[in-house]
Amino acid sequence: MTLQRTLRVLFCLTVLAGMAFAQTTLNGAGATFPYPIYSKWFSEYHKAHGDVEINYQSIGSGGGIRQVTTGTVDFGASDGPMTDEQLQQSKVKIVHIPTVLGAVVPAYNVPGVSGEIKFPADVLANIFLNKISNWNDKAIAAANPGVKFPDQNIIVIHRSDGSGTTYIFTDFLSKVSPDWLQVAGKGTAVKWPVGLGGKGNEGVAGMIRQTPGAIGYIELIYALQNNIPYGSVKNSSGQFIKASLESVTAAAQGVKMPNDYRVSITNPPGKTAYPISSFTWLLIPQPYKDGAKGKIITDFLNWELDNGQGMAGSLSYAPLPKEVADKVRQTIKGLK
C-alpha cells in the first residue's frame, strides 16, 4: 500500500513537472535584413518567458511571404511590403506590423581603396546597369576627388533569392533612374542586367569580401559585422549621406503611415536623410488558427514595443518613430 501510494505521488509529480516545463514553439520565416535584431529579440523573450520558444529561419522575404500565405509558418517577415496581388492570392488575411528601420548600403571590395566612396544616385544605377564597368570610370572619379581608383573591372553582386533587401535597393534605383525603371524595375526578384548572385545578406556579404573589384548591396549591420567598407549615397537634397541611426531616423520623419503600413521611404526629402532606408515588417496571419499561439504572438508584439525597441540601436537599426509605435499598439489590440 505504501509502495503504491509512493508510486502515485511520483507519477503526479512527473505530470506536474511536465506541465511546468511545457513549451510552446512558434515558427517564423522570412527576411534576412532584420535577422540580427529578430534573433536577439527572440532570445531575450525566451529568457523572460521560458515556456515560449520562437524559431526563425532567415530564408529571404520571398520565402517568408510564400510560407506565411500558405500557412507553413506561424508568422512571416519581409522588408518589402506584400503587393495587392500577393494579398489577394493569399489563403489567409495578412496584417503588416512594422518593427524597426534599417538601411541598405553599397558595400565594396576595391583594391587600394579602404575609405568611403561617394555614390551619386545615377552612378550607382549605372554600375548595376553595367553602363559603368570599371572602378576608374570618370563618373566615379568626379564624385571622389583625391581618391586613386584602380584599373579594375567592377563585379556586381546581387541576391539570388527573393529578397526584401533587393526590393528596397531596386525601389530606390527605380525612383532615381528612369533607365533602371525601364530595364529592371523594382521587386523582391528582378532580371539583373549584370552580376553574380549570392543567397541572403550573409551570402552577398561573403562574396563581396572574397571578390576583388566587387560591389553589392547589403543591410548596414552585415557591412559592420563583416568589416566591409560601404559608401555614402547622394540624397534628394544633393547631400552625400552615410547610413547611420540618425540618417535612417531622418528618412522616416514626417512619413504619412497608411493604415496597412505598406509604405516606401526610399529617396525621401530631408538634407540629413539616408536615401536607401526602409521599415521592415512582420507578417501576421489573421485570424489566428491556434488561439494559444495567437496570444503569444500578441504578447510578443507588445513586448517588442515595450522592450525590444530599446535594443535596436545596439545592432544599428533605428527604432520606430513614436507616432508609428503608438499606431502599431492600436493595431495589435485588434488582432484576433
Side-chain angles (χ1 to χ4, degrees):
M1 190 66 178
T2 302
L3 177 60
Q4 289 179 337
R5 185 176 298 166
T6 301
L7 290 174
R8 287 195 196 101
V9 170
L10 288 173
F11 175 77
C12 290
L13 288 174
T14 300
V15 171
L16 289 172
M19 292 174 63
F21 288 101
Q23 182 169 275
T24 301
T25 300
L26 270 62
N27 295 304
T32 63
F33 175 101
Y35 175 68
I37 185 65
Y38 286 178
S39 181
K40 182 175 182 61
W41 282 354
F42 298 150
S43 174
E44 293 298 323
Y45 192 76
H46 178 64
K47 290 178 184 176
H49 305 80
D51 57 341
V52 177
E53 182 83 28
I54 304 177
N55 294 325
Y56 181 74
Q57 299 296 318
S58 57
I59 60 174
S61 297
I65 290 172
R66 282 195 302 276
Q67 293 205 11
V68 74
T69 55
T70 56
T72 307
V73 292
D74 298 309
F75 65 89
S78 178
D79 309 319
M82 291 175 63
T83 64
D84 290 343
E85 183 179 7
Q86 287 173 326
L87 289 171
Q88 290 170 0
Q89 293 176 347
S90 175
K91 293 181 179 179
V92 295
K93 178 183 176 183
I94 300 295
V95 173
H96 290 63
I97 299 290
T99 51
V100 291
L101 297 108
V104 176
V105 299
Y108 44 81
N109 178 352
V110 185
V113 180
S114 58
E116 174 186 330
I117 296 177
K118 294 180 171 64
F119 292 99
D122 60 332
V123 169
L124 196 57
N126 285 337
I127 289 173
F128 282 82
L129 283 166
N130 201 30
K131 291 184 176 180
I132 295 176
S133 57
N134 194 297
W135 281 107
N136 67 5
D137 188 280
K138 59 183 182 182
I140 300 176
N144 295 273
V147 178
K148 184 174 176 54
F149 287 97
D151 179 7
Q152 171 87 45
N153 287 333
I154 296 175
I155 308 297
V156 167
I157 309 294
H158 56 73
R159 291 284 290 272
S160 60
D161 52 329
S163 160
T165 308
T166 295
Y167 178 89
I168 298 165
F169 188 64
T170 58
D171 181 47
F172 169 70
L173 294 184
S174 294
K175 289 180 179 178
V176 299
S177 168
D179 287 347
W180 179 269
L181 178 62
Q182 183 177 7
V183 172
K186 67 178 180 179
T188 54
V190 300
K191 187 175 181 179
W192 294 96
V194 65
L196 305 173
K199 187 175 182 180
N201 271 284
E202 305 93 330
V204 172
M207 291 180 70
I208 295 170
R209 194 174 57 245
Q210 297 167 14
T211 309
I215 183 171
Y217 57 94
I218 51 180
E219 209 284 331
L220 173 59
I221 189 63
Y222 290 87
L224 295 173
Q225 289 181 339
N226 288 280
N227 294 315
I228 301 174
Y230 61 97
S232 58
V233 182
K234 183 178 280 190
N235 66 15
S236 62
S237 297
Q239 305 296 314
F240 285 103
I241 302 295
K242 205 165 185 182
S244 66
L245 287 181
E246 293 76 17
S247 62
V248 172
T249 299
Q253 286 181 350
V255 63
K256 294 183 178 179
M257 183 62 77
N259 289 333
D260 64 3
Y261 299 106
R262 294 187 296 158
V263 66
S264 165
I265 58 169
T266 58
N267 203 38
K271 290 184 177 180
T272 61
Y274 180 70
I276 321 180
S277 303
S278 179
F279 288 92
T280 187
W281 297 265
L282 285 178
L283 306 175
I284 308 298
Q286 284 290 283
Y288 301 121
K289 286 184 179 178
D290 182 323
K293 286 187 174 181
K295 184 178 185 311
I296 292 173
I297 291 175
T298 300
D299 290 345
F300 168 76
L301 292 175
N302 281 311
W303 176 91
E304 168 265 309
L305 289 175
D306 294 333
N307 302 277
Q309 291 294 308
M311 304 174 190
S314 64
L315 289 170
S316 300
Y317 295 94
L320 296 177
K322 182 181 182 306
E323 60 273 22
V324 177
D326 290 343
K327 186 180 180 71
V328 169
R329 203 178 295 278
Q330 293 303 313
T331 299
I332 294 171
K333 288 181 180 178
L335 297 179
K336 302 175 182 177

